[in-house]
Amino acid sequence: MGNKIAIVADRISWEERQLIQTAREYGLDVEWVNDESLCLGHPDAPTINHYDAILIRSRSYTRGGLLATQAEASNIRTLNSAAAIQACENKLTLRTVLRTADVPVTDFRLVLSRTDFEKALEELPLPMVLKPVFGGMGKRVALIRDADTAQSLYDYIEDLGHGFEQAALAEPFLDSGTSIRCFVVGRELVAAAEFQSAGEDWRSNAALGNRNRALDHDPALSKIVDSVVNELGEGIYGIDLFHTVEGYVVNEVNHAPAFRTIAQATGVDIPSAISRYLQEILA
């Protein structure tokens, strides 16, 4: 098999530059393809059919799965798979897939209307987190601390969001101020770090630049990562966990994870790990 790979993304950031540079050191021919310029649909679409594999790194929470579906229809090796990307893009689908397989996930209620929201307020303790089903990087995630302001907050969701954007998950606020990011390549947990909220921002997302530290790969951490990969298939993932008194629970899985911060926190050469995996699957 050949070694020509497209990184499909809306732009080239630090991660894409590192991947392109490092992959070439491993004998891989890698280039960026703008995910807004493909116009796929025909099985012989000339924009992708000459690649041996494509690595989907679209930041859009809809674009990646659509592009992967069309690439697979043209028999092109796609990372991650269309099914995995589509599950990661949709927080409800992801949690349903994992929970059905007995993988522990954060408790939640699906909110599609104000009636749903009011029931969630009755069933879940405050403070409560309300987050969009489609989205990432901590954007449009709200912490509801008291019932007096809850209805006013939902006014904004109801009045300003389109139907697609109004779909939300309500979940308990796990008040530790920390989250754990596990970076997976293939089936291997290559790096793990804890991220802690800084300043007045309660969110602990790696994308927000909060404090971090490397974590050892303890057996419990590896076990839950393995269980996620068992359901989604091999690939490149950023798996976000919370550590509760009952153990680890999965919060989200990112199909196109940033890795600058976790690489700095752990010292792991993630671009090389990805390049070696690409070599392996193209051999």
Side-chain angles (χ1 to χ4, degrees):
M1 197 169 181
N3 65 348
K4 192 170 182 61
I5 301 167
I7 293 179
V8 178
D10 54 321
R11 63 184 185 275
I12 298 181
S13 66
W14 183 88
E15 282 80 2
E16 284 70 43
R17 288 195 299 271
Q18 294 298 310
L19 285 172
I20 291 171
Q21 176 182 329
T22 303
R24 288 171 178 166
E25 297 171 2
Y26 283 80
L28 301 171
D29 182 7
V30 180
E31 61 186 26
W32 168 59
V33 174
N34 191 328
D35 68 5
E36 296 178 333
S37 65
L38 292 173
C39 194
L40 302 183
H42 192 280
D44 296 322
T47 49
I48 62 168
N49 65 4
H50 61 289
Y51 292 106
D52 300 298
I54 64 172
L55 177 59
I56 302 285
R57 287 193 55 83
S58 300
R59 277 92 174 160
S60 165
Y61 51 80
T62 57
R63 201 174 294 159
L66 298 174
L67 294 174
T69 298
Q70 290 299 300
E72 289 182 355
S74 296
N75 296 315
I76 298 172
R77 182 64 183 265
T78 306
L79 292 174
N80 293 325
S81 71
I85 294 174
Q86 287 162 354
C88 293
E89 289 174 334
N90 184 321
K91 295 182 182 67
L92 176 66
T93 297
L94 176 71
R95 293 193 186 185
T96 302
V97 166
L98 296 180
R99 189 165 65 179
T100 301
D102 294 325
V103 180
V105 299
T106 309
D107 187 20
F108 68 90
R109 302 294 184 275
L110 175 62
V111 174
L112 298 177
S113 67
R114 189 176 291 271
T115 300
D116 284 341
F117 181 60
E118 290 171 348
K119 288 182 178 179
L121 286 171
E122 293 174 2
E123 295 180 9
L124 297 176
L126 293 178
M128 181 178 79
V129 175
L130 190 66
K131 62 174 59 174
V133 169
F134 304 95
M137 301 180 71
K139 300 297 180 63
R140 297 190 294 122
V141 178
L143 177 62
I144 301 172
R145 295 187 181 276
D146 57 75
D148 291 342
T149 59
Q151 297 294 341
S152 295
L153 184 145
Y154 195 77
D155 286 343
Y156 286 95
I157 296 174
E158 193 172 55
D159 294 342
L160 300 180
H162 300 291
F164 182 75
E165 297 171 326
Q166 289 176 358
L169 297 183
E171 61 186 41
F173 175 51
L174 302 179
D175 190 17
S176 65
T178 63
S179 64
I180 296 167
R181 164 60 63 94
C182 298
F183 201 95
V184 174
V185 179
R187 294 195 61 88
E188 181 185 359
L189 173 58
V190 298
E194 181 182 79
F195 293 88
Q196 184 175 13
S197 58
E200 297 181 355
D201 194 334
W202 59 274
R203 298 169 296 175
S204 57
N205 303 65
L208 299 175
N210 295 328
R211 295 190 294 268
N212 56 75
R213 67 182 181 91
L215 290 179
D216 294 330
H217 298 184
D218 69 79
L221 198 63
S222 297
K223 181 179 179 181
I224 196 167
V225 167
D226 286 342
S227 66
V228 172
V229 178
N230 284 341
E231 297 308 311
L232 298 182
E234 287 192 9
I236 300 167
Y237 303 108
I239 302 176
D240 292 337
L241 310 172
F242 291 127
H243 196 195
T244 71
V245 293
E246 290 83 19
Y248 293 109
V249 296
V250 179
N251 182 39
E252 297 179 10
V253 181
N254 194 316
H255 74 275
F259 53 81
R260 185 174 188 171
T261 304
I262 192 170
Q264 292 172 340
T266 62
V268 174
D269 186 352
I270 290 177
S272 289
I274 293 174
S275 297
R276 287 192 294 270
Y277 180 63
L278 291 172
Q279 270 188 330
E280 177 185 325
I281 66 172
L282 292 175

